[in-house]
Amino acid sequence: MLGEFLHILAAAAVSWILFVAVDILFKLPEAGGVSGASAIARDIQAGGGALSGGTMMGNIVCSPDASAGTLLAACGVYVAGIPGGLLAAALVFIGNRICHDPGYAGTTGAVLATFVVYAFTLVGFAATDFIAGMVIAILTIQGLSHTHASRLLARLWRFRQ
Amino acid sequence: MDDLLVVLFAVVALIGTVGVYLQRDRFNKLIAVGIIYGGVVPFIVDRGYLDVAIAVSLIIPITTIIMLPLCRRQDHDA
Amino acid sequence: MIALYVVAVIAVFGVVRATLERNTGRKLPFVNVMNFAVAGALVLLLDHPLALVAAVAYFVGSTLEANAIASTYAGGDRRG
């Protein structure tokens, strides 16, 4: 029981690092992909947050990005192994096009996460740990405090620039 | 799906339902309608009706997109 | 199977936070947390290849819904 809980926390840390790194590498905090993302960023800034971090959070809401790719790739690996993860990546690509998002962050994140999750299943982790871990990771970004999360993302974005 | 999960997902759907009634802003009402289906879809999947779940998941956003212009037109609270 | 309970509790937490928040722009990220949690729960409930398709369909559909609401809220042209 306790061991599984520790596995989930470790998987949350791994998937947090993975999706934030891919999102910042693909310049999600730079500009809103659709007009709704800019509106969410404006509201988060009005609530005391940072604009570039809010833009990245708006992009996560409005289009399947690397965080969605990581979650769905973990689901795919749990259901059908590596082919399932690659199928999830293809479906995320279709979802990106449906949402008018020109980027490739979601597809890249899904393909990367497929191999990362599969490598961790060889070490002794279960793919379900990564599904729960990814949900915890998105909770820390989107669900606890928008002010602190957006400031943290803005600091990481300044570091990449 | 055991009793605790039934309670948790039912709470999601019920909070969404009460939210539709209580919210004043029309965008917030539409968001609460989306929350209701988030609580309903796990029950459909748990019985094994995966094709129904896929169809419902695709019909819900189309319904919302059709409802959006209607909500924009009337300014008073519906 | 502790993962399923973790995911369900996070879904309820996201819904409670979303209902208590009054600003529409700050409400959408909380709903996004619920969408992630429900999409994960669908696969954890039923281990079947079509469950993956159902999870992707639910996630893309709810993302499209949030996208349309946010775009109309921004006052711009409605997309998707």
Side-chain angles (χ1 to χ4, degrees):
Chain A
M1 188 69 148
L2 187 65
E4 197 179 356
F5 199 71
L6 291 177
H7 275 183
I8 289 177
L9 286 183
V14 169
S15 43
W16 197 96
I17 293 170
L18 181 71
F19 92 83
V20 170
V22 172
D23 274 357
I24 288 186
L25 202 65
F26 274 83
K27 298 186 175 178
L28 256 76
E30 194 171 41
V34 291
S35 60
S38 315
I40 292 174
R42 208 182 51 220
D43 276 354
I44 287 176
Q45 194 188 24
L51 185 64
S52 52
T55 308
M56 177 167 155
M57 290 163 71
N59 276 325
I60 291 176
V61 171
C62 286
S63 173
D65 72 319
S67 54
T70 308
L71 176 77
L72 295 172
C75 292
V77 171
Y78 172 61
V79 169
I82 282 193
L86 296 179
L87 173 68
L91 292 172
V92 167
F93 178 77
I94 296 173
N96 265 328
R97 294 292 92 81
I98 290 176
C99 290
H100 289 266
D101 179 25
Y104 287 91
T107 318
T108 313
V111 173
L112 267 178
T114 301
F115 292 107
V116 169
V117 173
Y118 187 73
F120 271 95
T121 54
L122 297 181
V123 185
F125 283 72
T128 54
D129 296 342
F130 273 86
I131 298 175
M134 188 57 224
V135 174
I136 292 176
I138 204 69
L139 174 74
T140 59
I141 292 289
Q142 305 263 46
L144 292 180
S145 165
H146 292 163
T147 313
H148 293 98
S150 63
R151 283 181 189 159
L152 174 65
L153 290 174
R155 198 173 303 146
L156 290 173
W157 168 238
R158 221 172 294 133
F159 185 69
R160 183 203 182 289
Q161 280 178 322
Chain B
M1 182 185 262
D2 58 7
D3 290 346
L4 180 60
L5 287 170
V6 169
V7 169
L8 286 174
F9 285 120
V11 162
V12 171
L14 286 176
I15 290 178
T17 314
V18 176
V20 174
Y21 179 69
L22 291 180
Q23 304 282 350
R24 308 313 281 167
D25 187 66
R26 51 193 190 278
F27 291 112
N28 293 351
K29 275 187 194 290
L30 273 180
I31 291 173
V33 170
I35 291 176
I36 297 176
Y37 293 115
V40 169
V41 171
F43 288 104
I44 300 175
V45 169
D46 182 54
R47 301 290 174 190
Y49 301 129
L50 288 170
D51 43 356
V52 180
I54 294 171
V56 167
S57 314
L58 295 178
I59 289 169
I60 293 162
I62 296 173
T63 314
T64 308
I65 290 171
I66 292 171
M67 274 156 67
L68 264 172
L70 299 177
C71 289
R72 190 170 11 174
R73 200 163 294 145
Q74 48 185 216
D75 284 336
H76 62 85
D77 204 3
Chain C
M1 202 61 172
I2 190 174
L4 188 48
Y5 297 100
V6 171
V7 166
V9 168
I10 289 176
V12 174
F13 177 79
V15 167
V16 170
R17 288 294 301 269
T19 308
L20 295 179
E21 174 67 52
R22 308 192 70 84
N23 183 296
T24 303
R26 287 198 292 274
K27 192 189 270 272
L28 282 169
F30 292 129
V31 180
N32 192 240
V33 172
M34 186 210 73
N35 289 333
F36 269 83
V38 170
L42 295 188
V43 176
L44 291 174
L45 278 171
L46 199 58
D47 186 4
H48 187 274
L50 261 185
L52 174 66
V53 181
V56 175
Y58 175 78
F59 189 82
V60 171
S62 54
T63 303
L64 186 60
E65 188 181 338
N67 192 349
I69 291 176
S71 296
T72 314
Y73 172 67
D77 57 336
R78 186 169 50 83
R79 307 213 178 198

